[in-house]
Amino acid sequence: MSSFKMKVALAPVLALLVLTACDGGVGGKTSLTNTSGAPSPLTFDFFSVDPSPNWNGMKDEVGKVITAKTGITLNGEFAVSGGQDRISLMAASRDYPDIVSPKGELSKLVDAGAMLDLTDLIEQHAPNLKKLYGNSMNRLKYSNEDQSIYVLPTYYAVDQKYFDAGGGFGIQHRVLKELGYPKVRTLQDYENILRAYSEKHPMTDGQPTIPLTLDADNWRIMITVTNPAFLATGAPDDGEYYIDPVTYEAKLHYKRPEEKEYFRWLNHMYNEGLLDQESFVQKSDQYKSKIASGRVLGLIDQDWGYADAEDALKSAGRAEATYSHFPVTLSEDMKDHSFQDTGFVSGWGIGITTSNPDPVRTIKFFDYLASEEGQILMNWGIQGKHYEIKDGKRVIPAEVQDQKTNHASAFQRESGIGLYKNMSGRYGDGVKDSTDNYYTTNFPEQIQASYTQAEKETLRAYGASTWKDLFPKEEEFPVKPWGAAYNMPTPGDSDYNVIFQKTQDIIRKRIPEAVLSSPDQFDAIYDGLIVELNQAGAEKMEKQYTILIQNRVRLWNAD
């Protein structure tokens, strides 16, 4: 019997013992310490659908402190490419880890009865979490019909204020510098820059220069191929949908005529020899290997998608071959909506399963991470080692900042800073603690200190202090009352998910086909894509999603 299955068999007995301890029910008291006063050691199995390549089994410096404070060690397992199949297997087999972060697959576990309702646990054992979420508790509820809290939102932070940009259209700093820091506003500007430099430098270090490459490996196709279609055509990020801001009606964003023109531009780039011919067949590792070689001039990606490759370039002293971030759109009358305010967003997060032997200890572990002490530890590290206090302010020493900037992966693996941010609720960038210091290290002065010299030169040339300065500001857009549609749980007891998967299969086949076609075939292939989507049931699925959006707006705005 597997360790997960053994715990499933014992879970009812263990849960009963825990929940009825001392006072009875979830309000019962569970001891956090042994007779010596130290926290009792306890290990939980934890599974996340997101990768964590620098995970070190809590043997890092921050992890050791967390274990010393709580007694908890996590036996972590992190999916490499999405984890959807693993969640489906859990739901079918009822073989669950103690703690799970299922991202968009939560409904499968809820439908299987795998998730504990955290409402009473938070109320009775988690004062820091109650303080953190405050007036946003309504947004933690699963749905109008089921108002249980199954996960603590971790992918979005409370009162988050963004000070920097990590997405958009990237160009190597050396390219911009050699061309005299030209205007970068439209797709045509972007194309002109890549063309001019690649024609002048067809080879890089003995290998062919690649003007632009994409990563279409599995789910990464959404990040570098399909999501940029709505951002470059003036729409916000709502996953696979465009949501009408007045009626809240949902439709697949590919149906917008503007987006057809974005994909036509990719088709043009391919036929002009400016788009890497291997974009739709390469694996993510090959994509990052090309970037690390320094021969890729442009990227359309989020920086977390190629951070390892940039780290390699920085470590090799080649920061000039890393990337800028620009809000490029199809035409100048369109605005990149990257920073449209969603309000506090729930839906994706971390939860406790019915296999967990001690839910009270688990929620107290989450509560410690949400405390002021825990937040500072996770974001800043250990005082005297990773930061100092000068004139009442936390300051990162120059030698530590150098490691964070130029050897980021190794530094995170050893220090643990940043590894635990998605393991409980958290305060956002721009929020200050009781000492008038920021909870996170992402604030303007610290962000600027973390830039390489190449970044600073590029930003200075464009009259900016941070990459965000180049993007449209939050106040230029209304707050989205539905938050971000892509993290909304979908019903597992309807045909919605079956139709959705059919549409995804069609999109992931036809979009590459359209991009790689000859220009005279593009319209027929793209128009055929829309017909196929509707034949697969897209219009029915869109109506179902419209109802979900409208229900979320009502739930989140309830008194």
Side-chain angles (χ1 to χ4, degrees):
M1 182 181 288
S2 74
S3 61
F4 283 4
K5 288 178 180 175
M6 184 175 294
K7 280 181 293 193
V8 170
L10 294 175
V13 176
L14 290 169
L16 181 62
L17 289 173
V18 169
L19 297 178
T20 58
C22 298
D23 295 328
V26 176
K29 297 180 176 64
T30 300
S31 175
L32 284 171
T33 61
N34 57 33
T35 54
S36 69
S40 301
L42 185 58
T43 298
F44 291 121
D45 288 322
F46 167 56
F47 176 77
S48 172
V49 299
D50 273 343
S52 184
N54 297 325
W55 178 253
N56 196 19
M58 294 189 73
K59 295 180 176 64
D60 51 83
E61 292 159 331
V62 167
K64 289 176 181 177
V65 175
I66 292 173
T67 297
K69 292 286 186 177
T70 66
I72 303 299
T73 302
L74 297 181
N75 176 25
E77 181 184 350
F78 301 86
V80 175
S81 58
Q84 292 90 343
D85 291 342
R86 181 63 187 278
I87 296 294
S88 297
L89 181 60
M90 286 179 193
S93 66
R94 303 188 183 279
D95 183 6
Y96 315 127
D98 304 313
I99 301 169
V100 65
S101 180
K103 210 169 182 178
E105 306 300 306
L106 175 62
S107 61
K108 294 178 182 177
L109 296 177
V110 171
D111 292 344
M115 305 302 295
L116 290 182
D117 181 359
L118 307 181
T119 305
D120 290 342
L121 287 166
I122 294 170
E123 179 64 31
Q124 298 175 32
H125 299 287
N128 294 304
L129 286 168
K130 285 178 63 179
K131 177 184 176 184
L132 174 76
Y133 292 123
N135 295 329
S136 297
M137 291 297 290
N138 260 356
R139 296 196 173 203
L140 275 61
K141 296 174 181 178
Y142 185 66
S143 68
N144 293 69
E145 296 73 30
D146 181 356
Q147 299 206 3
S148 303
I149 297 173
Y150 292 118
V151 294
L152 303 175
T154 59
Y155 285 82
Y156 279 80
V158 175
D159 294 331
Q160 169 73 21
K161 181 175 177 58
Y162 292 99
F163 293 110
D164 203 10
F169 286 64
I171 305 171
Q172 286 184 336
H173 300 294
R174 65 190 178 102
V175 172
L176 294 168
K177 185 174 183 177
E178 181 167 324
L179 297 180
Y181 298 106
K183 178 183 177 182
V184 188
R185 179 62 185 85
T186 65
L187 292 176
Q188 188 61 59
D189 296 333
Y190 189 72
E191 175 185 338
N192 292 344
I193 291 167
L194 301 185
R195 184 191 304 276
Y197 191 91
S198 61
E199 288 179 350
K200 189 175 180 180
H201 302 279
M203 303 292 287
T204 301
D205 297 331
Q207 293 182 291
T209 297
I210 301 172
L212 174 65
T213 192
L214 307 172
D215 183 4
D217 187 10
N218 203 330
W219 63 274
R220 286 278 293 151
I221 191 173
M222 292 187 290
I223 310 302
T224 80
V225 181
T226 59
N227 286 7
F230 52 71
L231 289 173
T233 56
D237 186 355
D238 280 305
E240 291 297 276
Y241 293 93
Y242 171 75
I243 311 299
D244 186 292
V246 176
T247 65
Y248 308 138
E249 290 180 301
K251 68 177 180 181
L252 288 172
H253 67 81
Y254 307 91
K255 294 183 176 182
R256 298 173 62 237
E258 304 95 321
E259 294 195 29
K260 179 180 179 181
E261 298 311 305
Y262 176 80
F263 291 114
R264 189 190 304 278
W265 175 76
L266 282 182
N267 170 265
H268 164 75
M269 293 290 282
Y270 174 77
N271 282 286
E272 289 289 304
L274 296 173
L275 175 62
D276 185 4
Q277 293 189 352
E278 297 178 343
S279 289
F280 293 98
V281 295
Q282 65 187 347
K283 297 297 183 182
S284 292
D285 285 348
Q286 294 171 301
Y287 169 79
K288 289 189 281 190
S289 178
K290 288 176 180 177
I291 295 169
S293 74
R295 63 193 181 107
V296 178
L297 308 183
L299 297 176
I300 308 171
D301 201 351
Q302 300 293 319
D303 54 7
W304 49 260
Y306 56 92
D308 292 350
E310 277 205 321
D311 289 348
L313 288 165
K314 292 174 184 177
S315 296
R318 303 180 65 191
E320 74 283 352
T322 60
Y323 299 88
S324 55
H325 303 279
F326 288 95
V328 171
T329 53
L330 184 65
S331 60
E332 290 200 31
D333 63 323
M334 296 176 176
K335 288 185 179 182
D336 181 296
H337 281 55
S338 292
F339 292 101
Q340 183 170 8
D341 192 353
T342 59
F344 176 65
V345 177
S346 66
W348 290 355
I350 193 166
I352 303 173
T353 74
T354 53
S355 293
N356 191 298
D358 199 333
V360 174
R361 279 288 297 275
T362 308
I363 202 71
K364 288 184 175 182
F365 170 72
F366 293 151
D367 196 58
Y368 170 75
L369 295 181
S371 70
E372 182 163 306
E373 178 182 314
Q375 295 282 292
I376 294 168
L377 175 66
M378 289 191 298
N379 286 300
W380 288 85
I382 300 168
Q383 184 177 347
K385 187 173 187 65
H386 304 118
Y387 71 92
E388 303 168 348
I389 303 293
K390 292 185 177 180
D391 298 323
K393 298 297 180 184
R394 284 191 289 272
V395 177
I396 299 175
E399 62 273 15
V400 176
Q401 186 61 62
D402 176 70
Q403 291 298 308
K404 290 186 72 171
T405 299
N406 297 311
H407 307 280
S409 294
F411 176 80
Q412 186 178 67
R413 192 175 300 115
E414 180 180 342
S415 71
I417 295 173
L419 282 178
Y420 301 90
K421 70 176 185 177
N422 283 345
M423 293 186 184
S424 186
R426 57 194 172 95
Y427 291 101
D429 300 341
V431 182
K432 290 187 175 182
D433 63 22
S434 63
T435 69
D436 199 39
N437 279 282
Y438 291 105
Y439 276 109
T440 80
T441 59
N442 294 321
F443 53 92
E445 297 83 0
Q446 189 58 47
I447 289 169
Q448 292 166 35
S450 72
Y451 288 148
T452 63
Q453 190 57 39
E455 284 183 286
K456 291 175 182 177
E457 289 179 6
T458 299
L459 285 165
R460 191 159 48 245
Y462 288 97
S465 299
T466 68
W467 295 114
K468 186 189 175 185
D469 291 343
L470 301 174
F471 284 69
K473 306 297 185 288
E474 292 98 330
E475 53 267 26
E476 298 180 44
F477 310 107
V479 177
K480 291 164 60 180
W482 61 89
Y486 56 76
N487 75 344
M488 186 169 58
T490 54
D493 58 353
S494 72
D495 56 359
Y496 174 89
N497 289 317
V498 174
I499 298 173
F500 181 80
Q501 189 55 55
K502 287 180 180 178
T503 61
Q504 285 295 289
D505 292 342
I506 293 167
I507 289 163
R508 295 187 185 190
K509 179 180 180 181
R510 297 304 183 198
I511 289 294
E513 184 181 340
V515 172
L516 301 180
S517 69
S518 61
D520 62 328
Q521 295 176 320
F522 175 83
D523 283 302
I525 295 171
Y526 199 91
D527 294 345
L529 159 70
I530 305 303
V531 172
E532 281 189 77
L533 291 173
N534 288 334
Q535 289 174 341
E539 291 171 317
K540 179 181 181 181
M541 179 183 72
E542 290 164 340
K543 290 178 181 177
Q544 292 174 314
Y545 209 75
T546 295
I547 294 172
L548 293 174
I549 291 290
Q550 292 170 344
N551 286 343
R552 171 180 270 195
V553 173
R554 283 195 293 270
L555 176 65
W556 282 12
N557 292 279
D559 292 331

